[in-house]
Structure formats: C-alpha cells, structure tokens
C-alpha cells in the first residue's frame, strides 16, 4: 500500500524506523483486565432462537476450509473443495464456505476443483508456519501461490524481528509481500500466541494494517494458544480504529481452537459489539477453523429438524 493514500499522521508514522517505533509505542496501552472482562461478558450473550439459524449460516459462510499437513494430496484437496461447494449435500440450501486454504503447491488443484464456484482459494506462504527464511524465498513462495491462481495469500510475520523491535523490517516485508500478491488479498498472520502481551498484539495489528494487509489473522493454528476472544477483541478494535482514521475497511480472521457453534456465536457477538455490523460478512471476517464446520452443520440440522443429528449422520471428512 502506497503511504501517499494514508492520512498525514499515518504517513508520518511510516516515514522511517524511528517514526514507526514512536507511533507503535505511542498507541494506547491495552487494559488487560478490562479486555478480558469484556470478552467474558460478551461471551455470555445468548442469541434468540429465531436468530440461531442466521448465525449458523453466517458462520458457515465465513469458514476458510483448511488443510495444511505434510501428508496432503491432490485427492484430499479435491475432497475438501467438494465439501466447500456443498457442505451438507442433504440440505442444498446450506451456504458454501468462504475459501479453501492449502499450501502453494496444491493451490492449482484447488483452483481447478473450485472452477465456477464463488469460493476463494487461499494459500499460506512466506515459509509458513515459522516465517524463518530469507525474503527472497518468502517472495518466491508468494509467487508460486499467486501463479497457481490463489486469490488470497496468508503470510506469517517474522516474530523474531517484531519481538526484537525491528519494526521497519517487518513493515517492509509485509509491503513486499503485498506487492507480490498483485490482485490477491493479503492476510497477515501475527501468531499472537508468541507475542506475549495484548500491547504487542495491538502494535502488530497496526503494523500489518499500515503495511497494507487486507486482513489481520491471529494464528497459524500450529502454536498454542491460538485464537482467543480477548486477542480477537484487540484486533477488532484495531480494524475499527483504522476505519475511523482512514475510511478503509480491513478484515480479521481468528484461526485455531474454534471448534463449536457456541464458540462461533461468541465471536460473531464480539464482531458486532466491538467492530460493528459492517464486519459481519465473509469479506471482513473469517474463521480459520475447519473442524468448526462439522459442528455448525450438525447444529444447523438440529435447528431445521428439531432433533439432534449425531456425527454418524454427516460425513466429517
């Protein structure tokens, strides 16, 4: 993102390393007790029965259906794409998911399998999940994903550089990846479980937004803890404040550890209350939680039929 599009105060913030450090450390500190209490309070909110099906369908439409294992095969990706298209074949009105996320070498397979569907192909890149490689290798990783047809790229930041205070290095790398993405959307993975403090989460969120990230994402799903409600609150505050400052809408993606419909509803409540209703759309909020989809589908059947369908009645692969 060209800094010329930023308001003057944000353009000044990214002028050089010293300015960037001053800006990030000048952000208001996060009240740890306050954010955890608010997250816990919102998590107790209940949804009226009439809204339950809407919440389930909305959550399904926000899922990035993901396989990121060393044993992944083209056949597994094609099966995943079929499930992305028709999550519950017995209920054809079930919404499709937002995206299928794979490694770069399998992006072309996903693109082919999803041809004609309004489902994005996302690919992790930049030496996922560690981020430990040269910039040249990271950019080659991005180029591989984009050339294969990925319309979204999920990059990981260099947490070592960030925690060492080398903010300019992280900023420049995100900018370089954004440029390499071309028309593909960029999700910037902060790996919040390694950032240690909410203040660091806020700084990393703003750093990613300043550098041009279209989404900020909590986690790779390979580190514990992954997504948590308080951390997601801090990130939602960041995109809300970014919108207030710039008029630009940016997205948030919690990933890892979100497994039940009850969990998903808690996150949707947080989105509405912390950021705003504008963010209740797959273009601005995603779930990186493939196992979540199975529970959403089971609960959807329960809402429609009035009785619980066990997992034996639904293909979970």
């Amino acid at each position: 993102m060209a800094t010329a599009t930023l308001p003057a105060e944000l353009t000044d913030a990214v002028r050089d390393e010293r300015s960037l450090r001053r800006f990030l450390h000048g952000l208001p500190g996060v009240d740890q007790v306050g954010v955890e209490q608010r997250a816990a309070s919102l998590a107790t909110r209940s949804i009226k029965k009439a809204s339950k099906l809407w919440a389930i369908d909305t959550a399904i439409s926000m899922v990035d259906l993901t396989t990121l294992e060393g044993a992944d095969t083209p056949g597994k990706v094609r099966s995943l794409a079929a499930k992305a298209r028709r999550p519950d074949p017995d209920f054809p009105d079930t919404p499709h998911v937002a995206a299928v996320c794979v490694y770069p070498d399998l992006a072309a397979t996903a693109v082919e399998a999803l041809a004609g569907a309004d489902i994005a192909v996302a690919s992790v890149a930049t030496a996922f999940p560690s981020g430990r490689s040269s910039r040249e290798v990271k950019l080659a990783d991005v180029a591989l994903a984009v050339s294969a047809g990925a319309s979204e790229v999920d990059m990981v930041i260099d947490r070592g550089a960030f925690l060492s205070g080398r903010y300019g290095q992280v900023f420049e790398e995100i900018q370089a990846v954004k440029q390499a993405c071309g028309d593909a959307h960029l999700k910037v993975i902060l790996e919040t479980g390694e950032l240690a403090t909410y203040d660091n989460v806020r700084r990393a969120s703003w750093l990613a937004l300043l550098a041009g990230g279209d989404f900020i994402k909590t986690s790779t799903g390979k580190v514990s803890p992954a997504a948590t409600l308080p951390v997601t609150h801090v990130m939602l505050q960041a995109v809300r404040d970014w919108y207030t400052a710039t008029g630009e809408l940016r997205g948030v993606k919690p990933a890892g550890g979100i497994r039940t419909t009850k969990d998903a509803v808690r996150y949707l409540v947080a989105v509405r209350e912390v950021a705003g209703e504008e963010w209740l759309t797959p273009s601005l909020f995603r779930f990186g939680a493939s196992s979540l989809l199975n529970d959403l589908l089971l609960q959807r059947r329960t809402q429609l039929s009035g009785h619980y369908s066990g997992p034996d009645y639904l293909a979970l692969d």
Side-chain angles (χ1 to χ4, degrees):
M1 180 179 60
T3 57
T5 65
L6 296 173
E9 63 273 20
L10 296 183
T11 301
D12 290 342
V14 299
R15 187 173 58 250
D16 52 37
E17 179 82 39
R18 180 178 296 181
S19 299
L20 188 57
R21 176 182 297 277
R22 185 185 306 117
F23 175 82
L24 294 176
H25 283 269
L27 292 170
V30 178
D31 177 354
Q32 178 177 344
V33 173
V35 74
E36 290 177 353
Q37 286 182 341
R38 189 179 187 205
S41 175
L42 289 179
T44 65
R45 296 270 186 93
S46 60
I47 289 185
K48 295 179 182 178
K49 187 173 182 180
S51 301
K52 188 71 175 291
L53 184 60
W54 172 87
I56 291 172
D57 282 356
T58 298
I60 291 171
S61 75
M62 292 172 166
V63 168
D64 282 2
L65 198 55
T66 303
T67 183
L68 296 171
E69 303 297 334
D72 286 344
T73 64
K76 183 176 182 180
V77 171
R78 283 190 283 269
S79 294
L80 202 69
K83 185 171 183 178
R85 284 177 177 270
R86 298 187 67 190
D88 189 346
D90 290 341
F91 290 82
D93 62 335
T94 304
H96 61 70
V97 304
V100 169
C101 184
V102 295
Y103 277 113
D105 62 310
L106 288 168
T109 301
V111 169
E112 181 181 10
L114 290 169
D118 186 23
I119 300 171
V121 172
S123 178
V124 296
T126 65
F128 177 95
S130 70
R132 309 301 306 182
S133 192
S134 68
R135 188 172 299 180
E136 290 75 17
V137 168
K138 293 178 181 181
L139 293 178
D141 211 17
V142 175
L144 176 61
V146 173
S147 65
S151 55
E152 300 178 359
V153 171
D154 291 30
M155 72 166 287
V156 287
I157 67 167
D158 185 334
R159 282 87 74 193
F162 178 85
L163 292 170
S164 298
R166 302 197 305 274
Y167 302 132
Q169 177 181 332
V170 180
F171 176 83
E172 290 172 1
E173 188 160 279
I174 297 171
Q175 278 198 317
V177 171
K178 175 65 175 175
Q179 184 174 2
C181 283
D183 293 332
H185 282 193
L186 175 62
K187 305 192 199 87
V188 182
I189 306 171
L190 309 181
E191 199 67 287
T192 54
E194 294 183 341
L195 298 186
T197 69
Y198 295 126
D199 285 343
N200 275 341
V201 172
R202 174 166 285 173
R203 290 173 190 141
S205 296
W206 271 93
L207 183 59
L209 295 170
L210 285 165
D214 297 295
F215 265 75
I216 47 177
K217 178 178 171 182
T218 61
S219 325
T220 61
K222 307 294 186 182
V223 170
S224 183
T228 68
L229 275 169
V231 158
T232 304
H233 274 236
V234 173
M235 295 169 67
L236 288 167
Q237 289 168 0
V239 296
R240 178 201 63 200
D241 293 345
W242 177 267
Y243 175 69
T244 299
T246 68
E248 295 178 350
L249 291 164
R250 305 284 182 89
V252 174
K253 178 181 172 180
I258 306 170
R259 296 184 175 87
T260 69
T261 299
K262 185 178 291 186
D263 289 337
V265 169
R266 288 168 176 164
Y267 278 88
L268 293 180
V269 170
V271 171
R272 184 182 186 280
E273 296 298 321
V274 179
E277 291 188 11
E278 300 98 320
W279 275 264
L280 287 171
T281 169
S283 63
L284 292 172
F285 193 78
R286 299 282 183 85
F287 289 106
S290 292
S291 61
L292 168 65
L293 180 60
N294 297 322
D295 191 67
L296 288 168
L297 296 176
L298 291 173
Q299 295 301 325
R300 189 177 194 275
R301 286 189 170 206
T302 299
Q303 290 292 309
L304 293 173
S305 67
H307 63 272
Y308 180 74
S309 298
D312 291 343
Y313 294 92
L314 189 66
L316 299 182
D317 293 330

